[in-house]
Amino acid sequence: GKSTVSVNLACALQKLGAKVGLLDCDIYGPSIPLMMGINQKPTLSADEKMVPPENYGVKLMSMGFLLEGDQPVIWRGPMIMKTIQQFIHSVDWGDLDFLLVDLPPGTGDAQLSLCQTVPLDGGVIVTTPQEASLGVVRKGVAMFEKVNVPILGIVENMSYFTTPNGERVEIFGHGGGRTEAERKGVSFLGEIPLFTEIRIGGD
């Protein structure tokens, strides 16, 4: 859900006329190259910075561009931190209105490295409706609060499914995202249904 929201938000902002970059900080499981339909190695600029590949008018950087096929990343924390610092400072992002960052789940090295490397305007929390997901979300919100990153709002993904005959089925329950937003006093940004075309577009 996080990558789906990141990709669609980046493309929507670009369509509104903004200059947008999308940074994939899921080092172990990068999915932005697949979802953005591009997989090419970045080139180097004259001043030895990586030039980010671009698709749909969005500048992109991902560990997936630097790996061969299904090659895994088997790294400890310090390497993750160094890579994220390089993705911020050693990439020629140019003049952007927005740099969106797709983060892995949890409160690990990627999140802390990002918060320590660059000042963030805010975080968007993506959850599914059920309590198992919301428990992880609460930890993420608490982490951002500890490092003084404002929460811009919560999105509920996989909110419901509409069958071909029009029946609405709430597979994972419903309303957990809105309830959590109200509990934390942050904006509820909306519900994303289970929708086949979203999955097809991402694949």
Side-chain angles (χ1 to χ4, degrees):
K2 292 175 292 298
S3 298
T4 299
V5 170
S6 299
V7 162
N8 283 282
L9 196 53
C11 291
L13 288 166
Q14 192 277 333
K15 282 184 176 290
L16 291 171
K19 289 173 281 193
V20 183
L22 176 56
L23 170 56
D24 186 355
C25 277
D26 193 341
I27 305 298
Y28 295 120
S31 58
I32 295 302
L34 170 71
M35 298 190 84
M36 288 297 287
I38 181 173
N39 196 356
Q40 64 184 60
K41 288 192 164 29
T43 56
L44 284 179
S45 66
D47 59 353
E48 297 290 296
K49 283 192 166 187
M50 288 185 285
V51 178
E54 191 173 314
N55 207 16
Y56 305 111
V58 177
K59 293 180 179 179
L60 305 162
M61 183 51 62
S62 171
M63 194 68 197
F65 294 144
L66 308 175
L67 299 171
E68 296 294 333
D70 294 325
Q71 179 186 349
V73 175
I74 308 172
W75 286 351
R76 294 191 186 276
M79 288 293 287
I80 300 292
M81 185 168 192
K82 186 177 179 188
T83 300
I84 288 173
Q85 288 171 341
Q86 288 179 324
F87 279 171
I88 297 288
H89 297 304
S90 301
V91 171
D92 186 6
W93 288 107
D95 181 26
L96 295 179
D97 297 308
F98 298 95
L99 177 61
L100 303 180
V101 183
D102 182 29
L103 287 165
T107 55
D109 293 308
Q111 286 83 346
L112 290 173
S113 299
L114 181 69
C115 294
Q116 291 166 355
T117 300
V118 65
L120 304 177
D121 290 309
V124 174
I125 305 294
V126 180
T127 185
T128 48
Q130 76 271 37
E131 186 58 37
S133 176
L134 290 165
V136 177
V137 159
R138 289 185 194 109
K139 291 180 174 64
V141 169
M143 182 207 69
F144 278 131
E145 288 173 344
K146 279 194 188 320
V147 294
N148 298 315
V149 174
I151 303 298
L152 301 178
I154 294 178
V155 175
E156 185 176 279
N157 191 39
M158 302 185 192
S159 193
Y160 57 89
F161 174 71
T162 305
T163 65
N165 65 7
E167 181 189 358
R168 176 164 153 155
V169 182
E170 295 169 352
I171 296 172
F172 297 104
H174 182 258
R178 184 186 294 277
T179 301
E180 190 62 25
E182 290 170 354
R183 196 180 75 83
K184 293 299 295 182
V186 300
S187 297
F188 181 64
L189 301 176
E191 302 170 347
I192 302 173
L194 281 161
F195 194 55
T196 305
E197 278 78 358
I198 295 176
R199 196 270 307 159
I200 292 169
D203 283 351

